[in-house]
Amino acid sequence: MRFHRPALCLALLTAGLLMSAPAKADLRMCNTTGSRIGVAIGYRDAQGWVTEGWWNLSPRGCETLLRGTLAARFYYVYALDYDKGGEWTGKSVMCTRNKEFTIRGIEDCLARGFDRSGFFEVDTGEQKSWTIQLTDNNTPAAPRP
């Protein structure tokens, strides 16, 4: 995973919601930075690859990206820091665009009129629910119960 702004790093310490009390089964993203963040996700469903964006997360805010029990083990994330610049990126290239989108397929992005962005992989360990935390410091965030 590459990060293009030296002051930021990614903390992917996450936790499935394993408490005995009933919990919503969702894919959530928490922004622990002081900046506004834009988030796009990629995943594989029954019909193939899908990328979706943009969720706008306020500083220190959380959003539900996908509702319900997670259907895949791996999800992919690309995020932009709107206030300070920089991005959280990885090696998995998928299609995006500048405005709200849902794109089927990850091939021929440019030929189809989309941008190509590098997404980082999130391994949920086949949990039913998962929270991803983006941070801007060098110490990982604690897992979320």
Side-chain angles (χ1 to χ4, degrees):
M1 159 187 356
R2 282 185 316 176
F3 188 72
H4 292 272
R5 201 178 73 174
L8 293 179
C9 77
L10 171 67
L12 270 180
L13 287 180
T14 56
L17 299 175
L18 301 176
M19 306 297 275
S20 59
K24 289 185 178 180
D26 297 324
L27 179 64
R28 292 180 44 83
M29 170 78 67
C30 289
N31 172 16
T32 66
T33 77
S35 297
R36 294 172 303 125
I37 303 292
V39 176
I41 61 170
Y43 56 92
R44 194 169 181 87
D45 68 10
Q47 289 118 21
W49 287 102
V50 179
T51 52
E52 296 184 56
W54 294 98
W55 285 267
N56 295 307
L57 280 70
S58 59
R60 318 249 184 284
C62 295
E63 290 286 333
T64 299
L65 306 182
L66 295 173
R67 295 195 184 282
T69 302
L70 300 181
R73 176 176 176 169
F74 297 100
Y75 290 85
Y76 298 83
V77 177
Y78 173 70
L80 298 169
D81 183 322
Y82 292 142
D83 296 330
K84 297 177 185 171
E87 57 190 355
W88 289 263
T89 146
K91 296 179 182 178
S92 299
V93 176
M94 299 183 184
C95 304
T96 59
R97 61 186 253 182
N98 288 335
K99 54 186 175 180
E100 187 176 328
F101 66 89
T102 298
I103 301 170
R104 287 249 165 228
I106 59 173
E107 65 288 328
D108 303 320
C109 298
L110 299 175
R112 295 190 296 147
F114 302 120
D115 298 319
R116 289 171 34 102
S117 300
F119 286 62
F120 64 84
E121 183 177 84
V122 175
D123 182 352
T124 66
E126 298 182 0
Q127 298 296 319
K128 294 179 181 174
S129 187
W130 200 259
T131 299
I132 304 162
Q133 296 182 44
L134 293 178
T135 69
D136 63 359
N137 61 34
N138 290 325
T139 55
R144 298 197 54 165

